[in-house]
Amino acid sequence: MGLIGSIFATIFGSGRNVVAETVEVFRPNAEAQAVRDAAQQAAALSQFASEFGIERRGWFDRFVDGLNRLPRPMLAFGTLGLFVVAMADPVWFSQRMQGIALVPEPLWWLMGAIVSFYFGARHQVKSQEFQRGMTTTLARTAQVTENIDALDALVRAPKSGPVASAQKGRDGNAALDEWRASRGS
């Protein structure tokens, strides 16, 4: 037992652990590494706190922050509003869409580029596809004017007249037309 005791005293003697010290040359001590990681994380957090701790919330900063939050919700709710208006008043909606048909193609490109850069997205390919193949704006002006006049006539037309009677039989549903005729309406 004296030999084993002297071997252990040589290896682990005087409070030292020769095996642990040798292993730490090749692999860091997990406990010491955790202490170093905690110190590094605390230093990073204190740097972030000093960077973002500056209070710069004047009236102008709050106003600009509010403006920066508006475009996306306005575009989303505005698009949904267009669907509601198209169902509620189709004639009014059609008149406005006829006016949009007169917007020249380069202006659509410019608007697409501005929206794309603002939201960090690519150029709006769909708007170009929509405009591709259409004739020039001036050539379409006469057709758009006729469409608006026809829509105005629909708004001003009396409810019982040639337009109303034409609308009754416009369904193409023979059973519905027969039923209307039997009711006398």
Side-chain angles (χ1 to χ4, degrees), residues 99-153:
I100 287 179
L102 292 177
V103 175
E105 189 172 351
L107 192 55
W108 283 110
W109 291 352
L110 179 62
M111 185 183 77
I114 290 170
V115 169
S116 295
F117 282 119
Y118 184 81
F119 291 111
R122 290 188 208 165
H123 185 60
Q124 305 265 331
V125 177
K126 293 295 182 184
S127 64
Q128 288 181 352
E129 289 174 1
F130 175 77
Q131 290 293 324
R132 191 178 299 142
M134 297 187 110
T135 58
T136 63
T137 301
L138 292 176
R140 293 189 320 232
T141 304
Q143 180 63 39
V144 169
T145 305
E146 290 175 18
N147 290 344
I148 290 175
D149 291 340
L151 291 168
D152 281 336

Side-chain angles (χ1 to χ4, degrees), residues 22-152:
T22 306
V23 170
E24 284 179 359
V25 170
F26 301 105
R27 183 180 176 277
N29 184 334
E31 189 173 327
Q33 184 64 37
V35 170
R36 288 190 295 271
D37 289 343
Q40 183 181 7
Q41 187 176 15
L45 287 175
S46 67
Q47 178 186 353
F48 286 143
S50 67
E51 182 178 343
F52 293 108
I54 300 171
E55 185 64 34
R56 50 186 179 101
R57 302 297 305 167
W59 70 269
F60 183 74
D61 290 324
R62 290 191 307 268
F63 176 73
V64 170
D65 287 343
L67 283 179
N68 284 336
R69 291 185 176 109
L70 288 178
R72 282 179 279 191
M74 287 176 61
L75 283 172
F77 288 128
T79 303
L80 292 175
L82 286 175
F83 282 99
V84 171
V85 169
M87 290 183 285
D89 192 356
V91 174
W92 182 89
F93 180 79
S94 298
Q95 288 173 333
R96 296 331 176 259
M97 293 302 110
Q98 288 298 318
I100 287 179
L102 292 177
V103 175
E105 189 172 351
L107 192 55
W108 283 110
W109 291 352
L110 179 62
M111 185 183 77
I114 290 170
V115 169
S116 295
F117 282 119
Y118 184 81
F119 291 111
R122 290 188 208 165
H123 185 60
Q124 305 265 331
V125 177
K126 293 295 182 184
S127 64
Q128 288 181 352
E129 289 174 1
F130 175 77
Q131 290 293 324
R132 191 178 299 142
M134 297 187 110
T135 58
T136 63
T137 301
L138 292 176
R140 293 189 320 232
T141 304
Q143 180 63 39
V144 169
T145 305
E146 290 175 18
N147 290 344
I148 290 175
D149 291 340
L151 291 168
D152 281 336

